[in-house]
Amino acid sequence: MSVAMPIAAVFVSCSANVVILEQQIKLDSGSTNLITFSQFLFNAAMSFCTVMQFGRRKSVVPLRCWLVYTVVFFVQSVANNNALSYDIGVPLHMILKSSTPVVSMLLSAVSLHKRYPVSKWIAVLAITAGIAICTLASAESKTFKGIEKTHEQDDEMGGKPVSAVGTWLTGVGLVLFSVVVASGMGIYQEVLFKTFGQQAIDEGIFYSHALPLPGFLFLANDLRHHMKIYSSSDPVKINLEFVDDTIPVMWLLLMANVVTMYGCTSSVFSLIAASSSLTVTLVVTLRKFVSLLLSVFLFQNTFTFFHWVGTILVFGGTVMYTEMRLPKAKIKEKEA
């Protein structure tokens, strides 16, 4: 399978999803559980129809393997999205997520006994550093100044600023936890899919989203609360050939979110089938950089000298990694 199409699909669908998510968080920062639940439900329904053929297709992977995977995936997804409810902001969220390539390489080296040349470590570190510099430059005014302002306000009121910092640290901890879990999950995916083949990759989309759905029963009260908030949001006029009505803007954004997330998830699974977990991590990391650029232009964020430094590091690291990997990949395909 060629990696060109999955990579393009990852960039388009995942970047669009992040832009939509950022707008949702601005309107209702506490709705991350509702967003996660909707994504899981839509992905499970779509993959049940397309991949599992309405239940007629038999699974090639033992159920116990999917149970382990889906429990980890559920915890990782909830922790990752919930972090945005703790005032860390989308830019800082991307900073912390950009550490995934290094974590992935470390876990691969330890668990799969893979060895990487120093030049590849330099390439991955350059990409990570570039994204971190860019997102830090964007996050400075939104995140750290916001915490400082809250600190000053609490001092004036005689309160304890620890609560604001504690909330921020909780968000940071949730993202870092999700990074480690996601990196380990990527390695597990690679082993699982290599063992059971292409069909395991396809059905993985269904099982990873359908099996965790009962876990959202523990979040039922929170889901109902934010459903009411969504329903009370400003109405948007929909004037199409088959629809002529109004719909609350938050529900419209949620529908766009789940559709783009389904495209993002499907393209990532396709990419997993065509490459290693490290390559998947690098593509996803570069996609975050594209999301940063979109944030700069669509949300009118500034593009400073540090953003350009980060741009050079990201694309320089990508060129270095690509020149090293592609020839090796072709050799392996010929040997196979």
Side-chain angles (χ1 to χ4, degrees):
M1 179 189 293
S2 173
V3 298
M5 287 300 293
I7 288 176
V10 167
F11 274 88
V12 173
S13 58
C14 297
S15 297
N17 181 261
V18 169
V19 172
I20 295 169
L21 176 63
E22 185 169 358
Q23 185 63 35
Q24 287 179 280
I25 296 302
K26 284 187 174 182
L27 296 175
D28 182 12
S29 62
S31 63
T32 51
N33 285 329
L34 178 58
I35 294 171
T36 306
F37 169 73
S38 302
Q39 291 172 347
F40 273 57
L41 182 62
F42 185 82
N43 283 0
M46 289 296 295
S47 56
F48 178 75
C49 299
T50 58
V51 175
M52 303 306 293
Q53 301 174 1
F54 297 94
R56 294 192 300 268
R57 184 175 183 176
K58 294 182 179 180
S59 175
V60 299
V61 181
L63 185 60
R64 65 179 182 276
C65 295
W66 287 128
L67 287 173
V68 172
Y69 178 79
T70 52
V71 168
V72 175
F73 181 59
F74 172 75
V75 172
Q76 184 270 332
S77 299
V78 172
N80 178 64
N81 284 351
N82 247 321
L84 293 170
S85 300
Y86 288 88
D87 299 327
I88 67 170
V90 173
L92 183 57
H93 189 271
M94 286 192 289
I95 295 172
L96 301 172
K97 295 287 286 185
S98 68
S99 62
T100 305
V102 177
V103 176
S104 181
M105 288 187 69
L106 286 172
L107 291 178
S108 295
V110 173
S111 61
L112 300 180
H113 306 290
K114 289 186 177 181
R115 293 185 178 182
Y116 302 100
V118 175
S119 53
K120 183 165 288 190
W121 283 101
I122 294 174
V124 173
L125 287 172
I127 294 171
T128 303
I131 295 176
I133 290 173
C134 287
T135 49
L136 273 172
S138 298
E140 181 180 1
S141 61
K142 290 187 176 181
T143 303
F144 296 106
K145 287 184 179 179
I147 291 176
E148 183 180 0
K149 182 179 179 180
T150 302
H151 185 99
E152 292 175 352
Q153 289 176 343
D154 286 340
D155 282 344
E156 291 175 0
M157 297 175 65
K160 296 182 180 180
V162 178
S163 59
V165 178
T167 299
W168 181 78
L169 289 176
T170 300
V172 170
L174 285 172
V175 179
L176 292 177
F177 171 75
S178 71
V179 165
V180 176
V181 174
S183 299
M185 191 171 62
I187 296 173
Y188 184 77
Q189 284 175 334
E190 186 176 347
V191 174
L192 190 66
F193 297 159
K194 283 182 178 179
T195 302
F196 296 100
Q198 177 65 37
Q199 185 174 336
I201 299 171
D202 295 335
E203 67 187 48
I205 302 175
F206 170 71
Y207 284 106
S208 62
H209 291 89
L211 292 181
L213 286 176
F216 286 98
L217 290 174
F218 297 100
L219 306 172
N221 290 334
D222 181 73
L223 296 178
R224 282 195 295 266
H225 172 68
H226 288 284
M227 284 179 181
K228 293 178 181 178
I229 295 177
Y230 272 42
S231 297
S232 62
S233 61
D234 295 335
V236 175
K237 178 69 175 178
I238 305 296
N239 189 11
L240 300 175
E241 184 177 349
F242 53 91
V243 177
D244 187 11
D245 203 351
T246 59
I247 183 174
V249 64
M250 292 299 294
W251 285 114
L252 188 62
L253 287 172
L254 185 62
M255 287 188 286
N257 184 305
V258 297
V259 170
T260 54
M261 176 53 70
Y262 178 73
C264 179
T265 303
S266 300
S267 58
V268 169
F269 271 87
S270 298
L271 185 59
I272 291 170
S275 58
S276 67
S277 62
L278 177 59
T279 301
V280 174
T281 303
L282 285 167
V283 170
V284 172
T285 302
L286 288 173
R287 190 274 303 163
K288 293 171 189 172
F289 179 73
V290 173
S291 298
L292 173 65
L293 294 179
L294 290 173
S295 180
V296 168
F297 292 107
L298 295 180
F299 294 94
Q300 298 181 345
N301 294 316
T302 57
F303 203 80
T304 65
F305 168 77
F306 293 102
H307 288 96
W308 289 113
V309 172
T311 301
I312 294 172
L313 285 172
V314 168
F315 286 103
T318 303
V319 170
M320 184 187 303
Y321 176 78
T322 303
E323 288 180 349
M324 290 186 298
R325 184 181 187 278
L326 291 181
K328 293 182 180 180
K330 292 179 181 178
I331 292 174
K332 288 182 180 179
E333 289 176 0
K334 290 179 180 180
E335 291 177 350

